[in-house]
């Protein structure tokens, strides 16, 4: 494989890489529009370890999501509860020996800082539980009703959307989710580590003088690291890959200019 082909393969890694620069043409690109799916995509994938199957009367089967894991995910994306996000009770009522609570969730947009709200949702729990044929009051019913209501609100943001969309019924998808969270726990794939790697790549690309240098940088670990980053942060992978594509375009443009100067001489 030639040095040009190797770098070209870099560009093919991500289809949404920055546009290639041809010759001396300069593309004018306006500010990128906000991605309406940004939060949804950050929250949609569920850790299989935080789930377990359940069966209800009548034979209904589903996947139960750990409430504490949901709180952890919201904290990871928005910050501590009460500071970056939270919830409030809007109404409550008792009917048919059940307690119903209506709640809504607020959060601060990570990009704008704007305070936003989900739509209100109701959660309900039986006030009496039966064990060994004996009924007794359930002192957890209010808490469970609030947990139910908040969980439904978080679905509106995309939290654990893959479970609610039935993707967990696919064993292959569950394996991919397990691989994703295994990679996410890798210290080298944490946001700070990815940011440090991106900065290192920028500096090393600045020192590349020709396609041989660019190929060497790709072959000495950059390509492998980018594939790993792609398992947890596709946006960062796209962004860093586009740096390689941009540098290749600059080198080719420089070579064309130097070739033209030689012909003129």
């Amino acid at each position: 494989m030639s040095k040009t082909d190797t770098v070209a393969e870099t560009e093919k890694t991500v289809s949404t890489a920055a546009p290639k620069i041809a010759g001396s043409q300069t593309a004018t690109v306006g500010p990128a529009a906000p991605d309406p799916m940004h939060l949804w995509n950050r929250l949609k994938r569920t850790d299989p370890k935080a789930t377990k199957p359940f069966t209800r009367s009548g034979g209904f089967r589903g996947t139960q999501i750990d409430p504490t894991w949901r709180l952890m995910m919201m904290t990871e994306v928005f910050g501590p509860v009460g500071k970056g996000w939270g919830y409030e009770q809007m109404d409550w009522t008792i009917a048919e020996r059940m307690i119903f609570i209506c709640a809504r969730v607020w959060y601060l947009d990570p990009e704008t800082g704007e305070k936003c709200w989900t739509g209100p949702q109701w959660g309900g729990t039986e006030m009496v539980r039966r064990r060994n044929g004996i009924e007794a009051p359930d002192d957890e019913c209010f808490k469970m009703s609030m947990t139910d209501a908040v969980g439904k609100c978080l679905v509106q943001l995309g939290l654990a959307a893959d479970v609610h969309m039935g993707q967990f019924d696919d064993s292959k998808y569950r394996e991919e989710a397990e691989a994703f969270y295994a990679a996410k726990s890798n210290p080298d794939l944490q946001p700070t580590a990815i940011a440090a790697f991106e900065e290192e790549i920028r500096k090393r690309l600045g020192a590349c003088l020709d396609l041989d240098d660019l190929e060497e940088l790709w072959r000495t670990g950059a390509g492998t690291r980018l594939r790993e980053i792609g398992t947890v942060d596709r946006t960062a992978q796209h962004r860093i890959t586009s740096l390689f594509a941009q540098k290749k375009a600059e080198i080719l443009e420089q070579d064309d200019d130097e070739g033209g100067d030689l012909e003129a001489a």
Side-chain angles (χ1 to χ4, degrees):
M1 179 180 292
S2 68
K3 57 189 177 184
T4 304
D5 292 337
T6 301
V7 179
E9 184 179 350
T10 304
E11 298 165 6
K12 295 178 182 178
T13 303
V14 183
S15 60
T16 57
K20 301 182 184 65
I21 302 174
S24 60
Q25 294 179 347
T26 302
T28 302
V29 182
D35 180 5
M37 295 294 291
H38 174 64
L39 290 177
W40 185 282
N41 289 331
R42 288 190 65 182
L43 293 167
K44 68 180 181 179
R45 194 187 294 267
T46 308
D47 186 350
K49 294 181 179 179
T51 67
K52 61 180 180 181
F54 70 88
T55 302
R56 290 178 180 169
S57 58
F60 175 78
R61 296 181 179 181
T63 301
Q64 182 176 341
I65 305 168
D66 185 344
T68 304
W69 177 84
R70 290 188 292 200
L71 302 182
M72 183 181 72
M73 285 297 296
M74 290 295 292
T75 300
E76 178 181 310
V77 174
F78 300 105
V81 64
K83 185 176 182 179
W85 74 283
Y87 52 91
E88 66 174 25
Q89 178 177 303
M90 302 180 66
D91 198 0
W92 69 279
T93 187
I94 295 175
E96 299 296 329
R97 299 207 306 174
M98 292 187 67
I99 174 71
F100 294 95
I101 292 179
C102 182
R104 64 175 180 170
V105 168
W106 63 266
Y107 61 95
L108 300 182
D109 188 296
E111 296 183 352
T112 66
E114 178 186 4
K115 188 174 185 178
C116 307
W117 301 85
T118 68
Q121 290 290 321
W122 285 89
T125 308
E126 294 183 0
M127 301 177 64
V128 176
R129 57 184 173 183
R130 179 184 295 271
R131 289 184 178 177
N132 300 322
I134 301 176
E135 289 187 347
D138 188 348
D139 59 356
E140 297 281 305
C141 62
F142 278 87
K143 183 188 76 172
M144 290 191 292
S145 293
M146 177 62 79
T147 298
D148 186 24
V150 170
K152 291 175 180 175
C153 291
L154 298 182
V155 174
Q156 297 178 14
L157 298 178
L159 184 60
D162 52 0
V163 171
H164 296 281
M165 295 175 69
Q167 290 175 283
F168 259 58
D169 296 335
D170 184 345
S171 59
K172 182 178 180 181
Y173 179 84
R174 289 181 65 91
E175 291 174 359
E176 292 175 352
E178 291 171 356
F180 171 84
Y181 277 95
K184 190 176 179 181
S185 63
N186 185 339
D188 291 337
L189 298 179
Q190 300 306 307
T192 53
I194 293 175
F197 174 71
E198 181 174 355
E199 183 60 26
E200 177 189 358
I201 288 297
R202 288 181 183 276
K203 292 179 181 178
R204 295 181 66 181
L205 283 173
C208 291
L209 301 178
D210 52 33
L211 292 181
D212 285 330
D213 293 342
L214 198 60
E215 179 184 10
E216 181 66 17
L217 175 56
W218 180 259
R219 287 184 177 277
T220 54
T224 300
R225 183 75 183 277
L226 274 172
R227 284 190 290 272
E228 294 174 345
I229 290 174
T231 63
V232 296
D233 190 342
R234 294 297 298 275
T235 300
Q237 183 194 46
H238 294 173
R239 189 172 58 247
I240 299 171
T241 302
S242 71
L243 296 177
F244 279 86
Q246 182 179 354
K247 185 63 178 180
K248 177 196 171 185
E250 292 174 359
I251 292 173
L252 292 176
E253 181 179 354
Q254 182 179 353
D255 290 346
D256 288 343
D257 291 343
E258 291 177 354
D261 292 340
L262 290 175
E263 291 179 1

